[in-house]
Amino acid sequence: MVPGEENQLVPKEVPLDHTSDKSLLDANFEPGKKNFLHLTDKDGEQPQILLEDSSAGDDSVHDRFIGPLPREGSVGSTSDYVSQSYSYSSILNKSETGYVGLVNQAMTCYLNSLLQTLFMTPEFRNALYKWEFEESEEDPVTSIPYQLQRLFVLLQTSKKRAIETTDVTRSFGWDSSEAWQQHDVQELCRVMFDALEQKWKQTEQADLINELYQGKLKDYVRCLECGYEGWRIDTYLDIPLVIRPYGSSQAFASVEEALHAFIQPEILDGPNQYFCERCKKKCDARKGLRFLHFPYLLTLQLKRFDFDYTTMHRIKLNDRMTFPEELDMSTFIDVEDEKSPQTESCTDSGAENEGSCHSDQMSNDFSNDDGVDEGICLESNSGTEKNSKSGLEKNSLIYELFSVMVHSGSAAGGHYYACIKSFSDEQWYSFNDQHVSRITQEDIKKTHGGSSGSRGYYSSAFASSTNAYMLIYRLKDSARNAKFLEVDEYPEHIKNLVHRERELEEQEKRQREIERNTCKIKLFCLHPVKQVMMENKLEVHKDKTLKEAVEMAYKMMDLEEVIPMDCCRLVKYDEFHDYLERSYEGEEDTPMGLLLGGVKSTYMFDLLLETRKSDQVFQSYKPGEVMVKVHVVDLKTESVASPITVRAYLNQTVTEFKQLISKAIYLPAETMRIVLERCYNDLRLLTVPSKTLKTEGFFRSNKVFVESSETLDYQMAFTDSHLWKLLDRHANTIRLFVLLPEQSPGSYSKRTTYQKADGDSGNVDDDCERVKGPVGSLKSVEAILEESTEKLKSLSLQQQQDGDNGDSSKSTETSDFENIESPLNERDSSSVDNRELEQHIQTSDPENFQSEERSDSDVNNDRSTSSVDSDILSSSHSSDTLCNADNAQVPLPNGLDSHSITSSRRTKANEGKKETWDTAEEDSGTDSEYDESGKSRGEIQYMYFKAEPYAADEGSGEGHKWLMVHVDKRITLAAFKQHLEPFVGVLSSHFKVFRVYASNQEFESVRLNETLSSFSDDNKITIRLGRALKKGEYRVKVYQLLVNEQEPCKFLLDAVFAKGMTVRQSKEELIPQLREQCGLELSIDRFRLRKKTWKNPGTVFLDYHIYEEDINISSNWEVFLEVLDGVEKMKSMSQLAVLSRRWRPSEMKLDPFQEVVLESSSVDELREKLCEISGVPLEDIEFAKGRGTFPCDISVLDIQQDLDWNPKVSTLNVWPLYICDDGAVIFYRDKTEELMELTDEQRNELMKKESSRLQKTGHRVTYSPRKEKALKIYLDGAPNKDLTQD
């Protein structure tokens, strides 16, 4: 390590001479600090740690551990871990065992276990190497044998710790999703062998699988009366051994015991008697299996996965079953309890089972009377030949165990790994995905399963879940036992393949070495022409010089045709703080590794490609400097200039800093005021000349505002000064684009009346004439602006006079602008720009703030933003919102009496006060607009607002008018709407504000006492005409409930309900809207409103119920409207309305819904009501509650047995019914009615019809567990071409 600049340590590798006599201090080791050593061999490679041979009783955790190994770097990790700095070596370097692991793609441990077993089988590996791939005949990507060849070559020659299996699985035709499927290793073995046999047809390896793994057995049935025997020859690739016999609580103790049970014959007697062809009658018989030939490689599958018929779930049997290292199979060849009869008949079908042979399956095959004996007789000498052959096999049937495939887990899932004995050194190894470790014979015994206690029924439940699942033995035959091919014995095509794979691996190693020595760091560049900050990632070798890195960055940012390369340089940059840390003058030839502090995964800084003009000179950035962006403020023009960057030191004083800025911007330092913005809206005036910048809170990157005028503003307190107000406004002003409505608002305002202060009725047109010309023609935006500005001038003078006289009363005619003041009262009115409306709102009258509850309703529903608004405006309820406190009745267009509807709500309000448009805080959750003292929170706040016409981009549509608005984001939505009144042409209570998001979705902003703080620069706003909500009002979506229709829920319209309104009043307001918008002519007593929860009908609302008192109402509320067939039966909240539906089993159909109104929750009353409407005798009625979402649809094929019929309860509000509210669905039937008997054709037809019906309604509720995906290998590599296989 050598010291670097800025007192930072820069790593530098210095070779140490091991023959030197220097002390550690003389060798530049630093005492008291961390000193790092990098150990390499002579070739610069990472050395491997050689462990002692553990075969002689090494009990280390690593060597003895055979289960799932921990991840690299975790506690208990393998001893390959070298150091934290070079942890990648444990991943890249081969295990100390010399064997290579396989990477688990996700859940491919079963595949890895089988592949390692095949690789460690000499006969299979050698035969695979002898097969030669012809590239002209097949695509190497889809060739399974070729990809296995490549994998085996890599397993034998690679220097990596583990290699990928993706090429092999790709040859299977699998995609990435297959890696996430768990499969059975025995199933994979069978499917892979089938695929190899198909690929090896008409080659030397065509019969390889059969030669190595196939055995033969005889499946026989012998008559116990005459000795006649029928049999057939079957082949097998593995022997499935039962762990625990069916119905038994005891498991077999060993593999030998399970093998004896496998060939143990069973007696066919009683109803299972066998029909003997010779006796011509049913006789007692013996049925069983005899092994005729054992394969060279014997595979035993321990059937640990079973099905529990009690719980109806798959289970895993973890019982103990021992298996020997050497297995003598001679005792299982052709075992018979008695001598062979003189005459036998045989059935040699010649058909071989393609998969494994299951004894229970064979029993089923021979339990039938037909097809067992085909009458083929044996010759008299066949018995002699058989006995001779059997004798030969018995002398050489000693098998040695060499592979144990272990499963750890349950029937639901787990992990496979393999314990394999190497025939090279007779040592056992654990192949656990990428981990390969040495194990002992004691570790193999641990895979027998079970527990140390006595074996009993529950022993499996408490046993270890890690146990052997597949065993592979090899016949001990010196003539056949092969050794692995040495390198010089490889066929020529394998030698070429090894050479190619080594070259690829060396190339990958070189690439990894380059990656390890490549610095990767973020690169930024401000484009000199476009002035846009560009970002990229610079990848430069640590030995590349700074000059070369600049050239790379120059080309990466595509600046060749923009600026010369000598006008560019790289500087150290902090993008988060926008801070230039330092420049690298005179270090053009310094390696980037030294400049950046070495190769790191992440850097705490970035690089900036800085550019300059040809006539400019680069500024030197020294470590320790701070960057300051200086904004010059002009109080006369009220403008803030773009920033100028200067660099200073933290130990400079404020006076020195003023002189530095004075030289940079040519302003006098004597009258200079400097304001530091430490964070958002935190302004600090630097007033103490002797304080240092560090003391004042300067950091790496800073922002200051500088003003140096001759005015007396600097004598005022900073928070009262013009400078503070201007900076405060500058920090909080955002730019918004407002889309105005294109249609004239005349028709809207003409339909709304208001009450003047003197009690005379007036028209809103009189009030709107101040901002628009003749009826129906809207003034231009420029004219409105000019007129509004003149209005502001006169209002400002009037307010000053009113303030002197102490008169706070204001006329109705000026109510729209009563809160507006001119920007600066002391300024001459002639300086006001005629094209802009620039105001400071003083919210002195809190009653003018209109507020709503949040609905955020999507305005894509045209009905909610267009036609419904005009009807709301014309309704009695809406007109009442513009009336004063007196209760004078106003004639309405629809003939309704406004007093009768609204008096109940007005009597609860404060008499003599004007109704305010405020948010219902108890519903919206927002803070009140008033503080505890009752004063308006906006009383002393002055908010900036400036609007001017804006030419929108093409495509916005003809007739659309846009405003570009600069506004203080601390303004409330209510005040913002008031500012927009002159441009929209109607009062703020009659238009809505919709915020437009990036996806062009529009959501209404309705909380009027909230500020625009959630808005940001260049947000878009759409203004739509229509009455806004009042305090305590809610937008409600009304749906029609159609219980007997295919779609029982139909949207009708949007309505407005108010707190304190009765249900009957809301129904009265709905009637004209239903007639005009939906064409429904209803009388008030012929329909009801009821609660809507998703699609389920709920509580019936009675006419006298009051919203917010009896009925909880909230934003985005939904309600059902139900048309009644007769008089309303629901009169009290104690009643219960349920929807009943009769099921007719004899006709296989359901009747329409009928409502049943109960006086109590009694089951007896429900039965009586069902008896009344159906005519079914009371004692024969059975009922069940419907399941799922209304209308609780269920197939007529399932309803008879799937529902919980006739529950044993006396009341409806207990388990399992839990019917406590209106709207529950009850199915009922006549228990004496027989179920219709259906033919297969009728059932299939009805099934199709019901399936189609339930799919259309979408109400079927079923449980469909994830099905296990069948394991397939696609020979052509294309799964879509093998759709016929299941």
Side-chain angles (χ1 to χ4, degrees):
M1 306 292 290
V2 295
E5 293 189 25
E6 303 180 57
N7 297 323
Q8 294 179 353
L9 290 178
V10 180
K12 183 176 181 180
E13 295 183 5
V14 180
L16 297 178
D17 186 2
H18 68 280
T19 63
S20 174
D21 295 331
K22 288 183 179 181
S23 66
L24 294 180
L25 291 176
D26 294 336
N28 294 327
F29 279 76
E30 297 186 18
K33 296 184 179 180
K34 287 185 178 181
N35 295 272
F36 297 92
L37 289 177
H38 184 192
L39 302 180
T40 61
D41 57 20
K42 294 180 180 180
D43 299 327
E45 297 292 335
Q46 183 71 25
Q48 298 183 19
I49 297 179
L50 299 178
L51 300 179
E52 296 181 2
D53 188 4
S54 61
S55 60
D58 185 1
D59 295 331
S60 66
V61 174
H62 169 261
D63 288 341
R64 299 297 300 276
F65 188 78
I66 63 171
L69 290 173
R71 298 287 185 184
E72 292 291 342
S74 61
V75 177
S77 178
T78 65
S79 57
D80 296 336
Y81 185 78
V82 180
S83 72
Q84 187 175 2
S85 302
Y86 296 96
S87 59
Y88 55 80
S89 63
S90 62
I91 300 175
L92 300 179
N93 293 344
K94 185 184 289 189
S95 166
E96 71 279 356
T97 61
Y99 290 103
V100 179
L102 294 174
V103 176
N104 191 334
Q105 297 182 36
M107 297 181 181
T108 56
C109 53
Y110 65 98
L111 173 66
N112 293 349
S113 302
L114 180 60
L115 291 177
Q116 291 283 21
T117 298
L118 295 178
F119 171 74
M120 296 295 287
T121 307
E123 292 78 8
F124 185 88
R125 189 203 299 183
N126 296 344
L128 182 64
Y129 281 174
K130 291 178 183 178
W131 176 80
E132 183 174 0
F133 172 67
E134 297 293 341
E135 193 168 355
S136 59
E137 298 179 1
E138 189 177 7
D139 184 1
V141 175
T142 59
S143 175
I144 298 174
Y146 176 68
Q147 293 302 333
L148 283 177
Q149 246 184 21
R150 286 188 64 241
L151 183 73
F152 283 13
V153 165
L154 289 174
L155 286 173
Q156 192 168 354
T157 63
S158 176
K159 296 180 181 179
K160 296 181 181 179
R161 182 178 187 84
I163 57 178
E164 299 280 352
T165 58
T166 50
D167 289 339
V168 174
T169 55
R170 191 178 295 113
S171 70
F172 291 171
W174 295 359
D175 55 20
S176 59
S177 65
E178 289 286 348
W180 296 92
Q181 295 289 333
Q182 294 187 12
H183 291 295
D184 186 279
V185 67
Q186 186 267 346
E187 180 186 10
L188 173 68
C189 186
R190 300 286 76 79
V191 174
M192 184 187 291
F193 282 175
D194 287 345
L196 288 173
E197 284 183 322
Q198 293 294 325
K199 288 287 186 179
W200 277 336
K201 281 183 178 180
Q202 299 179 354
T203 65
E204 294 182 8
Q205 291 74 22
D207 204 35
L208 174 66
I209 301 299
N210 294 336
E211 290 175 359
L212 294 180
Y213 296 94
Q214 181 176 279
K216 289 186 179 181
L217 53 79
K218 177 193 288 185
D219 193 344
Y220 68 91
V221 180
R222 174 182 294 174
C223 178
L224 295 181
E225 292 189 14
C226 67
Y228 180 82
E229 182 177 287
W231 55 272
R232 73 176 183 190
I233 304 299
D234 283 308
T235 60
Y236 62 89
L237 295 178
D238 60 49
I239 302 174
L241 300 180
V242 176
I243 298 290
R244 189 192 300 171
Y246 180 75
S248 173
S249 61
Q250 287 284 81
F252 293 123
S254 64
V255 164
E256 297 93 325
E257 190 176 330
L259 282 169
H260 279 293
F262 184 81
I263 60 176
Q264 181 69 31
E266 60 174 325
I267 302 299
L268 302 180
D269 56 3
N272 294 326
Q273 279 188 326
Y274 166 70
F275 184 83
C276 178
E277 289 291 338
R278 178 174 295 176
C279 299
K280 301 299 181 182
K281 65 175 183 177
K282 285 189 175 183
C283 306
D284 290 350
R286 176 181 289 116
K287 178 185 183 301
L289 300 170
R290 297 194 192 106
F291 287 113
L292 302 179
H293 168 68
F294 288 113
Y296 178 68
L297 297 173
L298 178 64
T299 304
L300 303 179
Q301 181 201 5
L302 309 184
K303 299 182 67 177
R304 293 195 175 273
F305 299 109
D306 205 349
F307 190 81
D308 189 341
Y309 288 96
T310 303
T311 62
M312 301 303 290
H313 285 91
R314 290 177 60 191
I315 58 172
K316 182 184 177 185
L317 303 176
N318 294 312
D319 300 86
R320 179 178 176 82
M321 176 177 278
T322 63
F323 47 86
E325 189 170 3
E326 288 193 353
L327 179 62
D328 185 2
M329 297 296 291
S330 60
T331 57
F332 305 104
I333 279 285
D334 202 12
V335 178
E336 297 185 53
D337 295 334
E338 57 188 41
K339 296 291 183 179
S340 299
Q342 294 181 351
T343 307
E344 289 183 350
S345 72
C346 67
T347 300
D348 190 358
S349 63
E352 299 176 354
N353 290 339
E354 295 182 357
S356 55
C357 166
H358 297 276
S359 58
D360 54 351
Q361 180 181 351
M362 294 180 180
S363 301
N364 293 334
D365 292 341
F366 282 89
S367 62
N368 300 326
D369 294 335
D370 53 342
V372 176
D373 184 5
E374 296 181 5
I376 301 177
C377 298
L378 287 172
E379 298 292 337
S380 59
N381 59 349
S382 62
T384 306
E385 293 178 359
K386 177 178 65 179
N387 293 333
S388 174
K389 184 176 180 181
S390 176
L392 290 174
E393 290 209 10
K394 286 183 180 181
N395 295 330
S396 57
L397 289 180
I398 304 299
Y399 284 82
E400 61 177 327
L401 179 69
F402 79 95
S403 177
V404 180
M405 296 185 213
V406 183
H407 182 269
S408 175
S410 65
H415 177 67
Y416 283 102
Y417 60 95
C419 300
I420 306 174
K421 183 175 74 172
S422 171
F423 290 111
S424 301
D425 58 5
E426 300 297 319
Q427 174 63 45
W428 282 91
Y429 296 93
S430 170
F431 291 83
N432 192 342
D433 290 336
Q434 65 259 41
H435 303 280
V436 184
S437 58
R438 191 173 293 151
I439 56 176
T440 65
Q441 187 64 38
E442 290 299 319
D443 298 314
I444 300 300
K445 292 181 181 179
K446 294 178 182 177
T447 66
H448 291 169
S451 57
S452 58
S454 60
R455 292 185 293 124
Y457 182 77
Y458 292 104
S459 64
S460 178
F462 300 99
S464 170
S465 64
T466 301
N467 34 53
Y469 181 63
M470 277 185 70
L471 310 174
I472 301 184
Y473 287 83
R474 187 177 77 163
L475 181 67
K476 296 187 71 172
D477 185 351
S478 57
R480 293 190 63 183
N481 294 159
K483 295 184 178 180
F484 295 112
L485 291 177
E486 299 295 333
V487 177
D488 55 352
E489 298 175 335
Y490 286 167
E492 193 63 29
H493 64 276
I494 296 297
K495 291 180 179 179
N496 295 334
L497 181 58
V498 170
H499 180 69
R500 289 197 304 270
E501 295 300 330
R502 281 181 176 171
E503 284 187 344
L504 287 174
E505 190 166 308
E506 288 298 322
Q507 184 178 348
E508 289 179 6
K509 183 179 178 181
R510 289 192 295 269
Q511 186 62 35
R512 285 198 306 269
E513 189 67 24
I514 293 174
E515 290 288 325
R516 284 171 49 193
N517 292 285
T518 298
C519 303
K520 300 178 181 179
I521 188 170
K522 277 186 178 181
L523 175 67
F524 294 90
C525 177
L526 182 64
H527 197 280
V529 177
K530 300 178 181 178
Q531 293 298 306
V532 176
M533 184 64 78
M534 301 182 293
E535 180 181 349
N536 213 322
K537 177 174 279 191
L538 178 64
E539 298 184 3
V540 57
H541 195 275
K542 67 177 184 178
D543 296 331
K544 293 282 187 181
T545 63
L546 176 62
K547 185 177 181 180
E548 293 172 316
V550 170
E551 184 178 356
M552 292 174 60
Y554 176 74
K555 294 179 179 178
M556 185 179 294
M557 292 298 183
D558 295 327
L559 300 179
E560 290 94 335
E561 300 179 359
V562 180
I563 194 173
M565 192 174 68
D566 57 2
C567 292
C568 302
R569 69 169 180 176
L570 286 174
V571 295
K572 193 175 181 181
Y573 177 60
D574 182 354
E575 187 263 342
F576 181 78
H577 296 99
D578 192 18
Y579 169 57
L580 297 172
E581 293 193 23
R582 61 161 298 186
S583 54
Y584 301 104
E585 285 85 4
E587 299 189 61
E588 287 77 11
D589 296 327
T590 304
M592 291 297 293
L594 288 178
L595 288 180
L596 299 179
V599 180
K600 300 178 182 178
S601 57
T602 57
Y603 290 91
M604 299 301 293
F605 58 90
D606 313 301
L607 291 179
L608 175 71
L609 185 63
E610 192 179 21
T611 62
R612 64 174 175 85
K613 296 181 180 179
S614 56
D615 57 345
Q616 291 179 333
V617 178
F618 280 124
Q619 183 181 352
S620 177
Y621 307 140
K622 297 179 181 179
E625 292 179 337
V626 295
M627 191 169 69
V628 184
K629 292 185 177 181
V630 181
H631 296 260
V632 178
V633 180
D634 190 340
L635 293 182
K636 293 182 179 180
T637 60
E638 293 192 345
S639 61
V640 180
S642 299
I644 298 172
T645 302
V646 298
R647 295 179 72 84
Y649 289 95
L650 291 176
N651 58 0
Q652 283 182 327
T653 63
V654 173
T655 301
E656 293 171 341
F657 184 54
K658 285 184 178 181
Q659 294 172 354
L660 178 65
I661 294 179
S662 178
K663 293 178 182 180
I665 60 178
Y666 307 106
L667 287 178
E670 294 77 14
T671 59
M672 183 180 295
R673 285 186 292 175
I674 300 178
V675 180
L676 170 65
E677 185 180 78
R678 292 186 296 184
C679 57
Y680 167 71
N681 212 23
D682 182 9
L683 303 175
R684 180 188 182 95
L685 180 65
L686 308 185
T687 58
V688 182
S690 60
K691 275 192 174 183
T692 63
L693 300 186
K694 183 176 182 180
T695 307
E696 291 286 5
F698 277 69
F699 191 56
R700 289 183 173 186
S701 182
N702 308 274
K703 181 179 181 181
V704 299
F705 298 92
V706 175
E707 191 274 330
S708 185
S709 64
E710 300 292 339
T711 63
L712 299 178
D713 188 65
Y714 71 93
Q715 297 179 358
M716 303 177 63
F718 178 56
T719 53
D720 296 330
S721 65
H722 187 193
L723 175 61
W724 184 88
K725 294 178 181 179
L726 184 59
L727 295 181
D728 181 69
R729 187 188 78 182
H730 173 78
N732 291 283
T733 299
I734 56 175
R735 182 175 64 180
L736 303 175
F737 295 100
V738 180
L739 176 62
L740 300 175
E742 57 179 312
Q743 69 266 33
S744 170
S747 57
Y748 287 84
S749 58
K750 285 173 63 178
R751 297 175 63 180
T752 308
T753 61
Y754 70 95
Q755 196 80 4
K756 289 186 179 181
D758 56 2
D760 296 334
S761 296
N763 196 292
V764 177
D765 284 344
D766 301 333
D767 187 63
C768 293
E769 284 177 359
R770 294 169 300 156
V771 293
K772 65 175 187 148
V775 176
S777 63
L778 195 63
K779 284 189 178 182
S780 66
V781 174
E782 291 83 353
I784 294 173
L785 286 168
E786 184 175 355
E787 183 176 330
S788 300
T789 305
E790 294 299 326
K791 176 68 71 175
L792 287 174
K793 297 177 186 178
S794 60
L795 285 175
S796 178
L797 295 174
Q798 180 181 346
Q799 284 184 340
Q800 291 179 6
Q801 295 172 1
D802 291 343
D804 296 338
N805 298 331
D807 184 8
S808 60
S809 62
K810 299 177 181 64
S811 64
T812 308
E813 285 78 12
T814 61
S815 60
D816 290 323
F817 297 95
E818 61 188 356
N819 294 323
I820 301 176
E821 291 183 349
S822 62
L824 294 171
N825 294 334
E826 68 273 10
R827 292 180 54 191
D828 185 71
S829 60
S830 61
S831 64
V832 180
D833 187 353
N834 290 333
R835 296 195 59 201
E836 69 180 17
L837 178 64
E838 191 172 75
Q839 324 175 55
H840 291 285
I841 269 295
Q842 181 184 15
T843 57
S844 58
D845 186 0
E847 293 183 353
N848 283 314
F849 279 88
Q850 308 152 14
S851 185
E852 311 163 13
E853 53 139 350
R854 179 176 295 278
S855 67
D856 284 346
S857 57
D858 195 335
V859 301
N860 292 335
N861 191 335
D862 295 336
R863 189 171 289 170
S864 66
T865 58
S866 56
S867 58
V868 69
D869 295 325
S870 60
D871 289 287
I872 292 175
L873 288 172
S874 63
S875 70
S876 60
H877 183 59
S878 63
S879 65
D880 183 60
T881 61
L882 293 179
C883 294
N884 284 329
D886 56 50
N887 294 331
Q889 298 186 22
V890 180
L892 301 175
N894 55 15
L896 295 176
D897 183 2
S898 64
H899 182 270
S900 64
I901 299 176
T902 60
S903 59
S904 62
R905 284 177 286 121
R906 281 202 297 273
T907 54
K908 298 178 183 179
N910 294 328
E911 294 292 338
K913 288 187 178 181
K914 178 181 176 182
E915 286 191 85
T916 59
W917 295 61
D918 203 350
T919 300
E921 289 82 13
E922 63 271 19
D923 302 322
S924 63
T926 60
D927 295 332
S928 173
E929 188 181 348
Y930 307 97
D931 58 21
E932 294 178 357
S933 63
K935 293 184 179 180
S936 170
R937 292 182 175 177
E939 244 179 54
I940 58 173
Q941 294 182 3
Y942 294 84
M943 301 303 170
Y944 176 76
F945 181 94
K946 174 184 174 182
E948 55 186 353
Y950 172 71
D953 297 334
E954 295 182 2
S956 61
E958 297 181 0
H960 287 191
K961 296 184 177 70
W962 287 86
L963 287 180
M964 182 169 65
V965 177
H966 291 84
V967 63
D968 193 318
K969 61 183 177 183
R970 294 170 297 183
I971 195 173
T972 62
L973 181 60
F976 180 66
K977 290 182 68 175
Q978 284 184 345
H979 283 302
L980 291 176
E981 282 182 354
F983 309 102
V984 181
V986 296
L987 298 179
S988 59
S989 59
H990 289 82
F991 66 84
K992 309 176 211 174
V993 175
F994 291 87
R995 185 172 179 177
V996 183
Y997 289 87
S999 59
N1000 286 328
Q1001 282 187 309
E1002 297 180 355
F1003 292 92
E1004 185 178 0
S1005 298
V1006 293
R1007 289 188 176 180
L1008 296 182
N1009 64 336
E1010 286 191 353
T1011 65
L1012 303 186
S1013 56
S1014 63
F1015 288 76
S1016 55
D1017 272 330
D1018 298 337
N1019 278 171
K1020 292 183 179 180
I1021 289 176
T1022 299
I1023 304 297
R1024 297 185 185 277
L1025 299 177
R1027 187 178 70 78
L1029 294 180
K1030 182 184 174 181
K1031 177 180 178 179
E1033 292 184 333
Y1034 303 86
R1035 293 201 191 280
V1036 179
K1037 292 187 178 296
V1038 181
Y1039 293 80
Q1040 185 176 4
L1041 178 63
L1042 304 165
V1043 294
N1044 287 311
E1045 296 292 333
Q1046 184 173 338
E1047 180 52 58
C1049 181
K1050 176 185 177 183
F1051 175 76
L1052 294 178
L1053 50 82
D1054 280 336
V1056 175
F1057 291 180
K1059 177 181 178 180
M1061 177 187 287
T1062 64
V1063 172
R1064 187 172 184 85
Q1065 287 174 335
S1066 63
K1067 290 167 64 176
E1068 289 173 348
E1069 291 201 1
L1070 282 176
I1071 290 175
Q1073 298 178 46
L1074 292 169
R1075 180 174 57 250
E1076 295 177 15
Q1077 297 182 40
C1078 308
L1080 291 177
E1081 192 69 43
L1082 299 174
S1083 63
I1084 196 168
D1085 295 323
R1086 294 303 297 272
F1087 73 96
R1088 65 160 66 132
L1089 299 180
R1090 65 190 305 168
K1091 183 179 179 181
K1092 178 180 182 291
T1093 306
W1094 183 227
K1095 293 187 178 181
N1096 298 309
T1099 307
V1100 175
F1101 299 148
L1102 305 181
D1103 284 353
Y1104 56 83
H1105 282 163
I1106 300 175
Y1107 297 115
E1108 285 294 6
E1109 292 185 10
D1110 304 311
I1111 302 170
N1112 292 326
I1113 187 170
S1114 60
S1115 58
N1116 297 317
W1117 204 48
E1118 295 180 341
V1119 67
F1120 268 129
L1121 181 150
E1122 184 179 12
V1123 179
L1124 301 175
D1125 295 331
V1127 180
E1128 174 66 82
K1129 298 178 182 178
M1130 291 291 291
K1131 303 295 183 182
S1132 169
M1133 288 296 294
S1134 62
Q1135 293 176 306
L1136 186 67
V1138 297
L1139 294 167
S1140 65
R1141 197 171 190 186
R1142 181 174 179 179
W1143 158 241
R1144 298 182 183 271
S1146 60
E1147 303 177 32
M1148 296 295 286
K1149 75 173 187 178
L1150 286 163
D1151 286 353
F1153 279 105
Q1154 287 182 284
E1155 185 178 71
V1156 175
V1157 177
L1158 305 174
E1159 299 300 326
S1160 65
S1161 297
S1162 169
V1163 171
D1164 292 336
E1165 183 184 359
L1166 174 63
R1167 293 179 184 276
E1168 291 172 1
K1169 294 284 185 180
L1170 295 178
C1171 175
E1172 290 178 11
I1173 63 175
S1174 65
V1176 177
L1178 185 64
E1179 63 274 9
D1180 294 336
I1181 285 184
E1182 292 183 337
F1183 71 93
K1185 182 183 177 182
R1187 297 174 182 172
T1189 308
F1190 184 82
C1192 306
D1193 263 331
I1194 186 172
S1195 172
V1196 296
L1197 295 171
D1198 302 330
I1199 188 173
Q1200 186 77 2
Q1201 65 272 8
D1202 280 7
L1203 292 183
D1204 184 16
W1205 290 98
N1206 211 28
K1208 306 300 181 182
V1209 292
S1210 59
T1211 59
L1212 300 176
N1213 55 3
V1214 297
W1215 185 87
L1217 297 177
Y1218 284 128
I1219 300 177
C1220 305
D1221 196 5
D1222 302 327
V1225 173
I1226 295 293
F1227 294 98
Y1228 67 97
R1229 68 185 180 188
D1230 184 348
K1231 68 179 182 181
T1232 62
E1233 190 174 344
E1234 296 291 334
L1235 185 67
M1236 176 190 291
E1237 293 187 5
L1238 300 174
T1239 64
D1240 291 342
E1241 184 177 350
Q1242 288 175 326
R1243 180 173 294 277
N1244 292 335
E1245 185 66 28
L1246 188 57
M1247 187 180 299
K1248 291 179 182 178
K1249 186 184 297 185
E1250 285 295 283
S1251 176
S1252 175
R1253 179 180 68 86
L1254 294 174
Q1255 283 180 359
K1256 288 179 181 178
T1257 58
H1259 289 98
R1260 187 175 190 181
V1261 181
T1262 58
Y1263 171 70
S1264 178
R1266 185 175 69 89
K1267 295 182 179 179
E1268 293 185 8
K1269 190 174 181 180
L1271 193 152
K1272 299 179 184 178
I1273 291 179
Y1274 305 93
L1275 299 181
D1276 54 359
N1280 57 340
K1281 298 181 181 180
D1282 195 21
L1283 299 176
T1284 56
Q1285 288 186 348
D1286 192 1

